[in-house]
């Protein structure tokens, strides 16, 4: 699983990013899939570019423990960004 974090702010400013270790994807018809081991694709420091933007990918592992119904799954990951 791959996701994207987009941050904006003052160009050149450093940002601390805190990502949870797990998340849940759900589907409208019910049911869900857990995502484990969420990690950012690169190490700190995270610095906003000259245009004031920063994009960081994150990945995770689907934690499937039984049958999973077909369908579209969606979810949100709460990310904390502390600007220095």
């Amino acid at each position: 699983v791959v996701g994207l974090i987009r941050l904006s702010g003052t160009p050149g400013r450093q940002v601390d990013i805190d990502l949870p270790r797990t998340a849940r994807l759900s589907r409208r018809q019910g049911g869900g899939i857990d995502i484990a081991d969420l990690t950012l694709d690169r190490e700190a420091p995270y610095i906003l570019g000259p245009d004031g933007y920063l994009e960081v990918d994150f990945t995770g592992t689907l934690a499937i423990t039984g049958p999973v119904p077909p369908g579209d799954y969606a979810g949100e990951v709460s990310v904390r960004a502390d600007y220095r």
Side-chain angles (χ1 to χ4, degrees), residues 28-59:
R28 275 188 282 192
Q29 299 86 353
I33 303 171
D34 291 320
I35 304 172
D37 303 320
L38 290 173
T39 56
L40 298 171
D41 73 336
R42 57 181 156 148
E43 299 291 324
Y46 305 104
I47 299 174
L48 299 175
D51 59 356
Y53 291 94
L54 171 68
E55 291 187 349
V56 180
D57 290 326
F58 64 91
T59 60

Side-chain angles (χ1 to χ4, degrees), residues 7-82:
L7 301 174
S8 63
T10 305
R13 195 149 180 206
Q14 187 170 338
V15 182
D16 294 326
I17 300 173
D18 185 29
L19 183 69
R21 297 288 297 150
T22 62
R24 179 132 179 107
L25 299 178
S26 301
R27 65 185 199 125
R28 275 188 282 192
Q29 299 86 353
I33 303 171
D34 291 320
I35 304 172
D37 303 320
L38 290 173
T39 56
L40 298 171
D41 73 336
R42 57 181 156 148
E43 299 291 324
Y46 305 104
I47 299 174
L48 299 175
D51 59 356
Y53 291 94
L54 171 68
E55 291 187 349
V56 180
D57 290 326
F58 64 91
T59 60
T61 303
L62 291 176
I64 299 174
T65 58
V68 177
D72 294 326
Y73 290 79
E76 295 183 6
V77 177
S78 295
V79 176
R80 181 177 170 157
D82 291 320

